[in-house]
Amino acid sequence: MEILRYTFLVFHLFGFAALLGGIFYQLREKNTVTGGYMVTSAVVQLVTGAGLVWTRTSLDLPVSEAKMGVKLALDVLVAVTALAGMRTKKPWAFFAVATFTAAAAVVAVAWT
């Protein structure tokens, strides 16, 4: 079970890296359009985040339900905003996805 938890953690970090790395790349190119990679990365974040909570609960490790609720809300916002932005091609969605992603990272790191 511990190997599965670490696998979820690695893929969770890969999803975050793909999301934030793509955002920084597009900012450099001044191409502020929400792409399909954002939706895919957001789904990876949701699935692996749920897997992390499940494995921590199964291993009787502590889980902060308030923190996980905020992270879930932010991850859902990222996914929905990325999907809406991919359909409408509006710059506001790109910046909203970037903001929600940064907020999720801050919650993950700073909330103990």
XYZ file of all heavy atoms in Angstrom:
848
model
N 0.828 -1.200 0.000
C 0.000 0.000 0.000
C 0.869 1.259 0.000
O 0.494 2.265 -0.570
C -0.935 -0.038 1.204
C -1.963 1.059 1.224
S -3.163 1.015 -0.099
C -4.375 -0.052 0.588
N 2.011 1.153 0.667
C 2.927 2.300 0.734
C 3.470 2.637 -0.659
O 3.609 3.812 -1.014
C 4.075 1.979 1.704
C 4.894 3.170 2.097
C 4.152 4.154 2.991
O 3.174 3.782 3.652
O 4.567 5.322 3.017
N 3.756 1.618 -1.458
C 4.239 1.848 -2.826
C 3.161 2.543 -3.644
O 3.457 3.459 -4.428
C 4.668 0.515 -3.475
C 5.913 -0.015 -2.769
C 4.925 0.690 -4.966
C 6.321 -1.405 -3.193
N 1.920 2.146 -3.457
C 0.810 2.783 -4.167
C 0.674 4.252 -3.766
O 0.447 5.122 -4.620
C -0.488 2.023 -3.881
C -1.734 2.501 -4.612
C -1.548 2.401 -6.119
C -2.941 1.696 -4.164
N 0.853 4.532 -2.489
C 0.784 5.924 -2.016
C 1.871 6.766 -2.663
O 1.607 7.879 -3.127
C 0.903 5.973 -0.495
C 0.719 7.370 0.079
C 0.656 7.362 1.597
N 1.931 7.135 2.230
C 2.794 8.107 2.560
N 2.499 9.353 2.310
N 3.918 7.821 3.144
N 3.082 6.241 -2.729
C 4.167 6.984 -3.365
C 3.954 7.124 -4.866
O 4.322 8.141 -5.468
C 5.513 6.337 -3.058
C 5.998 6.629 -1.667
C 6.283 5.601 -0.780
C 6.155 7.940 -1.219
C 6.709 5.866 0.509
C 6.574 8.213 0.070
C 6.852 7.177 0.924
O 7.264 7.443 2.200
N 3.349 6.132 -5.486
C 3.030 6.228 -6.916
C 2.018 7.344 -7.149
O 2.182 8.156 -8.068
C 2.486 4.882 -7.433
O 3.458 3.865 -7.176
C 2.186 4.941 -8.915
N 0.972 7.393 -6.325
C 0.009 8.492 -6.428
C 0.693 9.838 -6.212
O 0.405 10.809 -6.915
C -1.127 8.323 -5.413
C -2.198 7.364 -5.822
C -2.656 6.394 -4.936
C -2.784 7.424 -7.074
C -3.657 5.522 -5.294
C -3.781 6.561 -7.452
C -4.218 5.593 -6.562
N 1.588 9.899 -5.246
C 2.282 11.153 -4.952
C 3.124 11.613 -6.140
O 3.094 12.790 -6.520
C 3.158 10.994 -3.708
C 3.955 12.236 -3.286
C 3.003 13.381 -2.937
C 4.850 11.910 -2.106
N 3.855 10.699 -6.758
C 4.693 11.051 -7.910
C 3.829 11.549 -9.066
O 4.129 12.588 -9.684
C 5.558 9.844 -8.337
C 6.179 10.057 -9.706
C 6.632 9.578 -7.298
N 2.738 10.851 -9.362
C 1.880 11.292 -10.459
C 1.139 12.581 -10.123
O 0.847 13.389 -11.007
C 0.922 10.173 -10.880
C 1.588 9.167 -11.758
C 2.009 7.944 -11.241
C 1.832 9.434 -13.095
C 2.648 7.017 -12.036
C 2.465 8.514 -13.904
C 2.881 7.302 -13.375
N 0.856 12.797 -8.846
C 0.251 14.055 -8.424
C 1.220 15.205 -8.698
O 0.825 16.255 -9.211
C -0.104 13.972 -6.929
C -1.034 15.032 -6.462
N -2.353 15.104 -6.848
C -0.852 16.083 -5.617
C -2.929 16.136 -6.270
N -2.028 16.759 -5.514
N 2.472 15.001 -8.379
C 3.490 16.023 -8.649
C 3.718 16.208 -10.148
O 3.940 17.332 -10.614
C 4.796 15.665 -7.936
C 4.734 15.719 -6.420
C 6.033 15.200 -5.821
C 4.442 17.125 -5.930
N 3.665 15.110 -10.924
C 3.776 15.227 -12.381
C 2.636 16.069 -12.950
O 2.845 16.906 -13.836
C 3.753 13.852 -13.058
C 5.023 13.069 -12.954
C 5.043 11.731 -13.273
C 6.211 13.649 -12.514
C 6.207 10.986 -13.182
C 7.385 12.921 -12.416
C 7.375 11.582 -12.754
N 1.427 15.850 -12.454
C 0.282 16.641 -12.925
C 0.449 18.109 -12.602
O 0.176 18.985 -13.433
N 0.919 18.391 -11.396
C 1.158 19.782 -11.013
C 2.255 20.402 -11.865
O 2.129 21.539 -12.333
C 1.537 19.859 -9.529
C 1.948 21.234 -9.099
C 0.994 22.229 -8.951
C 3.272 21.534 -8.867
C 1.374 23.505 -8.569
C 3.652 22.799 -8.480
C 2.704 23.792 -8.335
N 3.334 19.661 -12.088
C 4.438 20.181 -12.894
C 3.993 20.447 -14.331
O 4.374 21.471 -14.914
C 5.602 19.195 -12.869
N 3.198 19.563 -14.896
C 2.711 19.765 -16.257
C 1.813 20.995 -16.332
O 1.903 21.789 -17.278
C 1.953 18.526 -16.738
N 0.976 21.154 -15.347
C 0.057 22.285 -15.322
C 0.801 23.606 -15.170
O 0.664 24.518 -15.990
C -0.950 22.097 -14.190
C -2.170 22.981 -14.139
C -2.944 22.935 -15.435
C -3.058 22.537 -13.002
N 1.616 23.711 -14.147
C 2.310 24.964 -13.889
C 3.409 25.232 -14.921
O 3.609 26.376 -15.338
C 2.887 24.969 -12.476
C 3.207 26.343 -11.910
C 1.956 27.208 -11.841
C 3.824 26.222 -10.537
N 4.102 24.194 -15.352
C 5.121 24.364 -16.379
C 4.530 24.859 -17.687
O 5.095 25.737 -18.349
N 3.385 24.308 -18.063
C 2.708 24.768 -19.278
C 2.240 26.203 -19.169
O 2.292 26.966 -20.139
N 1.795 26.581 -17.985
C 1.364 27.966 -17.765
C 2.545 28.911 -17.948
O 2.449 29.922 -18.652
C 0.728 28.118 -16.365
C -0.644 27.442 -16.336
C 0.618 29.583 -15.970
C -1.238 27.272 -14.959
N 3.686 28.589 -17.328
C 4.860 29.450 -17.466
C 5.352 29.497 -18.905
O 5.772 30.547 -19.392
C 5.980 29.000 -16.536
C 5.758 29.375 -15.102
C 6.028 28.479 -14.092
C 5.264 30.623 -14.757
C 5.826 28.817 -12.765
C 5.047 30.968 -13.433
C 5.334 30.063 -12.438
N 5.288 28.375 -19.603
C 5.712 28.348 -21.009
C 4.819 29.258 -21.849
O 5.303 30.023 -22.681
C 5.686 26.918 -21.542
C 6.091 26.823 -22.987
C 7.428 26.896 -23.348
C 5.137 26.678 -23.989
C 7.808 26.822 -24.677
C 5.499 26.613 -25.315
C 6.844 26.674 -25.657
O 7.211 26.608 -26.979
N 3.522 29.158 -21.640
C 2.607 29.987 -22.414
C 2.739 31.461 -22.061
O 2.560 32.317 -22.920
C 1.164 29.520 -22.211
C 0.844 28.289 -23.021
C -0.614 27.930 -22.914
O -0.972 27.121 -22.088
N -1.426 28.539 -23.730
N 3.033 31.778 -20.818
C 3.261 33.173 -20.449
C 4.482 33.734 -21.168
O 4.485 34.882 -21.602
C 3.433 33.308 -18.936
C 2.164 33.284 -18.110
C 2.505 33.277 -16.621
C 1.276 34.466 -18.444
N 5.511 32.921 -21.311
C 6.719 33.358 -22.014
C 6.431 33.633 -23.485
O 6.951 34.578 -24.062
C 7.803 32.296 -21.888
C 9.154 32.768 -22.391
C 10.163 31.677 -22.321
N 9.860 30.764 -23.418
C 10.435 29.606 -23.590
N 11.314 29.177 -22.727
N 10.129 28.848 -24.611
N 5.583 32.808 -24.081
C 5.221 32.965 -25.488
C 4.101 33.991 -25.690
O 3.722 34.259 -26.820
C 4.785 31.619 -26.069
C 5.847 30.557 -26.046
C 6.980 30.871 -27.000
O 6.704 31.356 -28.115
O 8.138 30.636 -26.621
N 3.567 34.512 -24.594
C 2.442 35.448 -24.619
C 1.225 34.859 -25.351
O 0.508 35.542 -26.064
C 2.860 36.778 -25.234
C 3.937 37.466 -24.419
C 4.186 38.856 -24.874
C 5.204 39.585 -24.076
N 6.275 38.935 -23.459
N 1.017 33.557 -25.116
C -0.109 32.835 -25.710
C -1.008 32.382 -24.569
O -0.895 31.272 -24.080
C 0.403 31.634 -26.511
C -0.716 30.844 -27.140
O -1.818 31.344 -27.311
N -0.437 29.606 -27.468
N -1.894 33.265 -24.132
C -2.706 32.988 -22.952
C -4.031 32.332 -23.322
O -5.100 32.898 -23.155
C -2.959 34.275 -22.149
O -3.554 35.243 -23.020
C -1.666 34.824 -21.596
N -3.935 31.116 -23.837
C -5.116 30.338 -24.199
C -5.061 29.035 -23.416
O -4.012 28.395 -23.328
C -5.158 30.054 -25.712
C -6.348 29.182 -26.065
C -5.199 31.347 -26.504
N -6.178 28.651 -22.853
C -6.260 27.416 -22.087
C -6.213 26.237 -23.044
O -6.984 26.177 -23.994
C -7.560 27.386 -21.270
O -7.612 28.555 -20.471
C -7.612 26.175 -20.371
N -5.302 25.308 -22.792
C -5.135 24.160 -23.678
C -5.644 22.872 -23.068
O -5.966 22.799 -21.876
N -5.672 21.848 -23.901
C -6.132 20.540 -23.465
C -5.246 19.934 -22.381
O -5.709 19.159 -21.546
N -3.953 20.296 -22.397
C -3.054 19.754 -21.371
C -3.480 20.213 -19.979
O -3.244 19.516 -18.994
C -1.605 20.181 -21.637
C -1.317 21.618 -21.292
C -0.867 21.960 -20.026
C -1.523 22.629 -22.213
C -0.620 23.280 -19.693
C -1.277 23.942 -21.893
C -0.825 24.267 -20.639
O -0.596 25.570 -20.310
N -4.121 21.392 -19.892
C -4.576 21.885 -18.586
C -5.702 21.018 -18.053
O -5.727 20.695 -16.857
C -5.029 23.338 -18.684
C -3.925 24.317 -18.888
S -4.598 25.983 -18.911
C -3.099 26.929 -18.824
N -6.615 20.644 -18.912
C -7.721 19.785 -18.487
C -7.186 18.420 -18.076
O -7.551 17.884 -17.025
C -8.779 19.656 -19.608
C -9.877 18.681 -19.204
C -9.357 21.002 -19.967
N -6.286 17.863 -18.886
C -5.702 16.566 -18.571
C -4.944 16.612 -17.251
O -5.098 15.724 -16.397
C -4.757 16.115 -19.699
O -5.481 16.095 -20.925
C -4.174 14.745 -19.423
N -4.133 17.641 -17.059
C -3.373 17.776 -15.816
C -4.286 17.959 -14.614
O -4.023 17.433 -13.534
C -2.400 18.951 -15.915
O -1.467 18.740 -16.938
N -5.374 18.706 -14.796
C -6.320 18.917 -13.703
C -7.009 17.602 -13.323
O -7.217 17.328 -12.133
C -7.351 19.965 -14.094
N -7.345 16.792 -14.304
C -7.956 15.490 -14.020
C -6.955 14.584 -13.305
O -7.306 13.874 -12.354
C -8.496 14.840 -15.311
C -8.900 13.398 -15.078
C -9.670 15.644 -15.845
N -5.692 14.623 -13.738
C -4.648 13.852 -13.055
C -4.552 14.294 -11.598
O -4.455 13.458 -10.684
C -3.288 13.998 -13.781
C -2.145 13.472 -12.926
C -3.322 13.279 -15.114
N -4.595 15.605 -11.361
C -4.540 16.126 -9.996
C -5.717 15.611 -9.164
O -5.542 15.225 -8.014
C -4.560 17.658 -10.014
C -3.311 18.298 -10.549
C -2.168 18.135 -9.598
O -1.347 17.239 -9.750
N -2.101 18.972 -8.614
N -6.907 15.635 -9.734
C -8.091 15.172 -9.005
C -8.005 13.680 -8.662
O -8.242 13.281 -7.513
C -9.353 15.429 -9.830
C -9.879 16.854 -9.822
C -10.929 17.043 -10.906
C -10.468 17.175 -8.468
N -7.659 12.874 -9.648
C -7.639 11.421 -9.452
C -6.531 11.020 -8.478
O -6.759 10.239 -7.541
C -7.472 10.691 -10.805
C -7.217 9.210 -10.609
C -8.712 10.913 -11.662
N -5.344 11.562 -8.670
C -4.240 11.185 -7.789
C -4.415 11.766 -6.390
O -4.004 11.153 -5.408
C -2.881 11.603 -8.371
O -2.874 13.020 -8.596
C -2.598 10.863 -9.668
N -5.030 12.944 -6.283
C -5.314 13.507 -4.967
C -6.283 12.635 -4.191
O -6.094 12.374 -2.997
N -7.317 12.160 -4.878
C -8.262 11.244 -4.232
C -7.560 9.944 -3.840
O -7.801 9.394 -2.758
C -9.434 10.949 -5.163
N -6.680 9.467 -4.705
C -5.921 8.259 -4.395
C -5.009 8.443 -3.187
O -4.861 7.542 -2.366
N -4.406 9.619 -3.075
C -3.551 9.903 -1.923
C -4.348 9.898 -0.618
O -3.908 9.341 0.387
C -2.850 11.246 -2.102
C -1.626 11.240 -3.010
C -1.208 12.657 -3.342
C -0.496 10.486 -2.353
N -5.510 10.536 -0.648
C -6.342 10.551 0.559
C -6.782 9.133 0.906
O -6.749 8.728 2.077
C -7.559 11.483 0.370
C -8.536 11.341 1.517
C -7.104 12.929 0.231
N -7.172 8.366 -0.087
C -7.612 6.994 0.138
C -6.502 6.142 0.741
O -6.728 5.392 1.711
C -8.101 6.389 -1.176
C -8.384 4.927 -1.083
C -9.401 4.320 -0.401
C -7.614 3.875 -1.661
N -9.309 2.955 -0.539
C -8.222 2.661 -1.316
C -6.475 3.855 -2.460
C -7.732 1.440 -1.728
C -5.988 2.633 -2.871
C -6.612 1.433 -2.501
N -5.285 6.235 0.174
C -4.195 5.413 0.705
C -3.779 5.865 2.103
O -3.474 5.024 2.953
C -2.964 5.419 -0.230
O -2.561 6.761 -0.486
C -3.264 4.702 -1.525
N -3.777 7.163 2.357
C -3.432 7.640 3.707
C -4.471 7.152 4.724
O -4.116 6.754 5.827
C -3.323 9.164 3.740
C -2.065 9.680 3.051
C -1.903 11.164 3.232
N -1.641 11.534 4.605
C -0.443 11.524 5.183
N 0.600 11.144 4.496
N -0.297 11.896 6.437
N -5.729 7.189 4.337
C -6.781 6.708 5.227
C -6.645 5.201 5.456
O -6.797 4.719 6.586
C -8.169 7.033 4.645
O -8.248 8.433 4.418
C -9.273 6.619 5.587
N -6.344 4.460 4.400
C -6.186 3.011 4.517
C -5.006 2.623 5.396
O -5.033 1.587 6.063
C -5.991 2.385 3.131
O -7.135 2.595 2.352
N -3.966 3.450 5.393
C -2.785 3.176 6.202
C -2.877 3.781 7.602
O -1.904 3.764 8.342
C -1.534 3.710 5.498
C -1.128 3.002 4.214
C -0.058 3.781 3.474
C -0.661 1.589 4.529
N -4.041 4.321 7.949
C -4.267 4.978 9.241
C -3.299 6.135 9.493
O -2.894 6.391 10.622
C -4.178 3.971 10.396
C -5.343 2.996 10.384
O -6.448 3.409 9.968
O -5.143 1.834 10.767
N -2.946 6.841 8.423
C -2.132 8.046 8.538
C -3.066 9.240 8.703
O -4.211 9.216 8.240
C -1.249 8.223 7.299
C -0.198 7.140 7.080
C 0.472 7.318 5.717
C 0.828 7.176 8.183
N -2.611 10.303 9.359
C -3.502 11.450 9.573
C -3.850 12.161 8.263
O -3.007 12.304 7.370
C -2.683 12.366 10.483
C -1.273 11.960 10.291
C -1.284 10.499 9.944
N -5.108 12.565 8.162
C -5.597 13.317 7.008
C -6.381 14.509 7.544
O -7.334 14.336 8.297
C -6.508 12.447 6.112
C -7.088 13.264 4.972
C -5.753 11.242 5.580
N -5.988 15.702 7.148
C -6.722 16.905 7.535
C -7.895 17.089 6.570
O -7.701 17.443 5.406
C -5.797 18.132 7.478
O -6.547 19.306 7.642
N -9.097 16.821 7.077
C -10.265 16.897 6.208
C -10.533 18.305 5.712
O -10.968 18.502 4.580
C -11.488 16.319 6.915
C -11.499 14.808 6.882
C -11.808 14.209 8.221
O -12.391 14.896 9.066
O -11.454 13.031 8.412
N -10.264 19.303 6.534
C -10.466 20.689 6.104
C -9.514 21.039 4.961
O -9.921 21.622 3.951
C -10.255 21.637 7.276
N -8.257 20.664 5.118
C -7.267 20.933 4.069
C -7.636 20.200 2.784
O -7.566 20.764 1.692
C -5.876 20.499 4.542
C -4.789 20.677 3.513
C -3.450 20.204 4.054
C -2.352 20.295 3.037
N -1.064 19.840 3.569
N -8.046 18.947 2.904
C -8.399 18.166 1.717
C -9.649 18.718 1.050
O -9.777 18.692 -0.176
C -8.588 16.690 2.076
C -7.315 15.994 2.489
S -6.001 16.089 1.275
C -4.886 17.244 2.059
N -10.567 19.273 1.839
C -11.751 19.901 1.267
C -11.401 21.135 0.460
O -11.919 21.343 -0.647
N -10.495 21.943 0.984
C -10.052 23.146 0.257
C -9.297 22.741 -1.002
O -9.493 23.306 -2.077
C -9.195 24.048 1.172
C -8.532 25.162 0.393
C -10.047 24.608 2.299
N -8.408 21.741 -0.882
C -7.651 21.275 -2.051
C -8.595 20.709 -3.111
O -8.409 20.965 -4.302
C -6.646 20.202 -1.632
C -5.430 20.707 -0.943
C -4.369 21.146 -1.922
C -3.869 19.930 -2.694
N -3.240 20.288 -3.935
N -9.605 19.953 -2.691
C -10.563 19.404 -3.646
C -11.309 20.518 -4.351
O -11.476 20.494 -5.577
C -11.541 18.469 -2.934
C -12.666 17.899 -3.801
C -12.091 17.023 -4.902
C -13.647 17.122 -2.946
N -11.751 21.518 -3.593
C -12.466 22.644 -4.198
C -11.579 23.373 -5.215
O -12.032 23.711 -6.319
C -12.937 23.608 -3.112
N -10.331 23.596 -4.861
C -9.419 24.276 -5.785
C -9.143 23.426 -7.022
O -9.111 23.948 -8.147
C -8.115 24.635 -5.077
C -8.197 25.795 -4.099
C -6.930 25.892 -3.259
C -8.452 27.106 -4.829
N -8.972 22.122 -6.846
C -8.721 21.249 -7.993
C -9.934 21.167 -8.920
O -9.790 21.134 -10.143
C -8.305 19.854 -7.528
C -6.893 19.824 -6.966
O -6.146 20.789 -7.204
O -6.542 18.836 -6.291
N -11.124 21.156 -8.345
C -12.342 21.173 -9.173
C -12.448 22.501 -9.916
O -12.795 22.537 -11.109
C -13.600 20.892 -8.325
C -14.864 21.187 -9.091
C -13.590 19.452 -7.839
N -12.126 23.610 -9.238
C -12.126 24.910 -9.906
C -11.135 24.946 -11.063
O -11.440 25.491 -12.130
C -11.790 26.021 -8.908
C -12.918 26.529 -8.043
C -12.382 27.492 -6.985
C -13.974 27.219 -8.880
N -9.968 24.377 -10.858
C -8.980 24.329 -11.935
C -9.536 23.546 -13.124
O -9.465 23.997 -14.269
C -7.648 23.707 -11.448
C -6.726 23.406 -12.620
C -6.955 24.630 -10.471
N -10.100 22.379 -12.860
C -10.612 21.532 -13.941
C -11.766 22.192 -14.691
O -11.788 22.223 -15.926
C -11.049 20.175 -13.381
N -12.714 22.736 -13.954
C -13.879 23.358 -14.593
C -13.470 24.612 -15.362
O -13.922 24.835 -16.501
C -14.964 23.677 -13.528
C -16.058 24.555 -14.087
C -15.542 22.393 -12.971
N -12.604 25.423 -14.774
C -12.159 26.642 -15.447
C -11.331 26.303 -16.678
O -11.454 26.965 -17.720
C -11.347 27.527 -14.485
O -12.108 27.728 -13.298
C -11.026 28.856 -15.098
N -10.489 25.283 -16.595
C -9.699 24.874 -17.761
C -10.605 24.377 -18.881
O -10.386 24.710 -20.055
C -8.701 23.792 -17.363
N -11.610 23.605 -18.522
C -12.550 23.119 -19.538
C -13.322 24.268 -20.169
O -13.471 24.334 -21.396
C -13.507 22.097 -18.917
C -14.431 21.366 -19.868
C -13.629 20.598 -20.900
C -15.336 20.428 -19.100
N -13.792 25.191 -19.346
C -14.518 26.356 -19.878
C -13.604 27.207 -20.748
O -14.016 27.686 -21.810
C -15.080 27.192 -18.726
N -12.370 27.387 -20.317
C -11.428 28.189 -21.098
C -11.045 27.536 -22.406
O -10.812 28.211 -23.409
N -10.976 26.212 -22.411
C -10.647 25.514 -23.649
C -11.775 25.670 -24.670
O -11.525 25.782 -25.868
C -10.404 24.035 -23.364
C -9.682 23.325 -24.483
S -9.212 21.655 -24.029
C -10.768 20.810 -24.235
N -12.990 25.736 -24.181
C -14.129 25.896 -25.092
C -14.289 27.330 -25.574
O -14.632 27.559 -26.725
C -15.409 25.438 -24.400
C -15.457 23.956 -24.216
C -16.767 23.517 -23.655
N -16.809 22.068 -23.555
C -17.808 21.409 -23.044
N -18.857 22.054 -22.578
N -17.773 20.105 -22.990
N -14.053 28.307 -24.695
C -14.297 29.707 -25.062
C -13.067 30.425 -25.602
O -13.206 31.443 -26.249
C -14.814 30.502 -23.850
O -13.812 30.527 -22.836
C -16.106 29.917 -23.319
N -11.876 29.907 -25.293
C -10.606 30.523 -25.720
C -10.436 31.945 -25.207
O -9.878 32.802 -25.879
C -10.471 30.516 -27.247
C -10.596 29.167 -27.889
C -9.398 28.313 -27.570
C -9.493 27.002 -28.348
N -8.740 25.958 -27.743
N -10.916 32.210 -23.997
C -10.798 33.540 -23.386
C -9.577 33.585 -22.470
O -9.303 32.629 -21.734
C -12.051 33.880 -22.568
C -13.327 33.876 -23.376
C -13.415 35.095 -24.226
C -14.784 35.094 -24.913
N -14.930 36.128 -25.859
N -8.851 34.708 -22.470
C -7.657 34.821 -21.611
C -7.967 34.764 -20.115
O -7.128 34.324 -19.335
C -7.069 36.176 -21.978
C -7.646 36.529 -23.299
C -8.965 35.836 -23.377
N -9.152 35.201 -19.689
C -9.473 35.201 -18.265
C -9.385 33.797 -17.687
O -8.971 33.618 -16.549
C -10.844 35.805 -17.988
C -11.993 35.002 -18.529
C -12.638 35.200 -19.714
C -12.620 33.859 -17.926
N -13.614 34.252 -19.883
C -13.625 33.418 -18.800
C -12.419 33.175 -16.740
C -14.445 32.333 -18.532
C -13.232 32.074 -16.464
C -14.232 31.671 -17.355
N -9.774 32.794 -18.484
C -9.757 31.417 -17.993
C -8.322 30.949 -17.756
O -8.041 30.254 -16.774
C -10.464 30.496 -18.973
N -7.427 31.334 -18.648
C -6.016 30.980 -18.482
C -5.478 31.523 -17.167
O -4.842 30.804 -16.393
C -5.208 31.516 -19.669
C -3.735 31.308 -19.526
C -3.157 30.105 -19.882
C -2.925 32.312 -19.033
C -1.795 29.908 -19.747
C -1.567 32.125 -18.889
C -0.999 30.913 -19.247
N -5.740 32.795 -16.905
C -5.233 33.417 -15.685
C -5.943 32.873 -14.434
O -5.335 32.772 -13.366
C -5.340 34.936 -15.772
C -4.404 35.504 -16.794
C -4.884 36.017 -17.988
C -3.037 35.504 -16.585
C -4.021 36.525 -18.936
C -2.160 36.012 -17.528
C -2.646 36.522 -18.706
N -7.206 32.498 -14.567
C -7.923 31.894 -13.444
C -7.341 30.523 -13.113
O -7.137 30.192 -11.936
C -9.411 31.778 -13.763
N -7.044 29.726 -14.143
C -6.421 28.416 -13.917
C -5.067 28.593 -13.236
O -4.726 27.870 -12.287
C -6.280 27.636 -15.245
C -5.389 26.413 -15.070
C -7.641 27.223 -15.767
N -4.293 29.565 -13.702
C -2.975 29.821 -13.089
C -3.126 30.225 -11.625
O -2.380 29.748 -10.759
C -2.246 30.910 -13.872
N -4.097 31.069 -11.337
C -4.311 31.530 -9.963
C -4.766 30.390 -9.057
O -4.244 30.218 -7.946
C -5.348 32.664 -9.939
O -4.881 33.726 -10.778
C -5.573 33.182 -8.533
N -5.727 29.593 -9.520
C -6.217 28.471 -8.719
C -5.128 27.412 -8.505
O -5.037 26.803 -7.436
C -7.449 27.835 -9.354
C -8.656 28.726 -9.397
C -9.514 28.710 -10.488
C -8.941 29.598 -8.357
C -10.632 29.527 -10.534
C -10.051 30.426 -8.395
C -10.900 30.390 -9.488
N -4.289 27.200 -9.513
C -3.196 26.247 -9.385
C -2.183 26.722 -8.347
O -1.725 25.940 -7.505
C -2.500 26.033 -10.742
O -3.465 25.552 -11.676
C -1.363 25.039 -10.635
N -1.841 28.003 -8.404
C -0.908 28.555 -7.418
C -1.506 28.484 -6.017
O -0.805 28.151 -5.046
C -0.563 29.997 -7.780
N -2.789 28.762 -5.893
C -3.444 28.689 -4.584
C -3.433 27.260 -4.048
O -3.210 27.035 -2.851
C -4.877 29.211 -4.686
N -3.648 26.287 -4.917
C -3.612 24.881 -4.485
C -2.213 24.498 -4.002
O -2.075 23.762 -3.018
C -4.050 23.968 -5.632
N -1.198 25.005 -4.671
C 0.178 24.723 -4.245
C 0.459 25.346 -2.884
O 1.094 24.718 -2.022
C 1.165 25.242 -5.280
N -0.013 26.562 -2.675
C 0.198 27.235 -1.395
C -0.512 26.475 -0.277
O 0.055 26.261 0.803
C -0.274 28.707 -1.460
C -0.315 29.330 -0.070
C 0.634 29.505 -2.380
N -1.731 26.044 -0.531
C -2.478 25.269 0.484
C -1.756 23.973 0.795
O -1.606 23.589 1.960
C -3.926 25.011 0.016
C -4.600 23.975 0.898
C -4.724 26.302 0.006
N -1.277 23.297 -0.249
C -0.600 22.019 -0.048
C 0.675 22.159 0.783
O 0.978 21.312 1.622
C -0.264 21.385 -1.398
N 1.391 23.232 0.570
C 2.686 23.398 1.235
C 2.553 24.088 2.593
O 3.167 23.679 3.579
C 3.660 24.178 0.327
C 4.930 24.518 1.053
C 3.957 23.377 -0.925
N 1.752 25.143 2.661
C 1.718 25.987 3.852
C 0.770 25.485 4.940
O 0.984 25.751 6.111
C 1.343 27.418 3.463
N -0.279 24.783 4.558
C -1.265 24.322 5.540
C -0.736 23.039 6.182
O -0.594 22.022 5.521
C -2.588 24.064 4.859
C -3.756 23.839 5.763
C -3.753 23.272 6.988
C -5.120 24.130 5.459
N -5.021 23.211 7.492
C -5.895 23.738 6.565
C -5.763 24.684 4.373
C -7.274 23.876 6.614
C -7.132 24.837 4.424
C -7.875 24.437 5.529
N -0.489 23.102 7.474
C 0.042 21.908 8.151
C -0.994 21.228 9.006
O -1.991 21.725 9.352
C 1.237 22.276 9.053
O 0.843 23.286 9.967
C 2.387 22.724 8.223
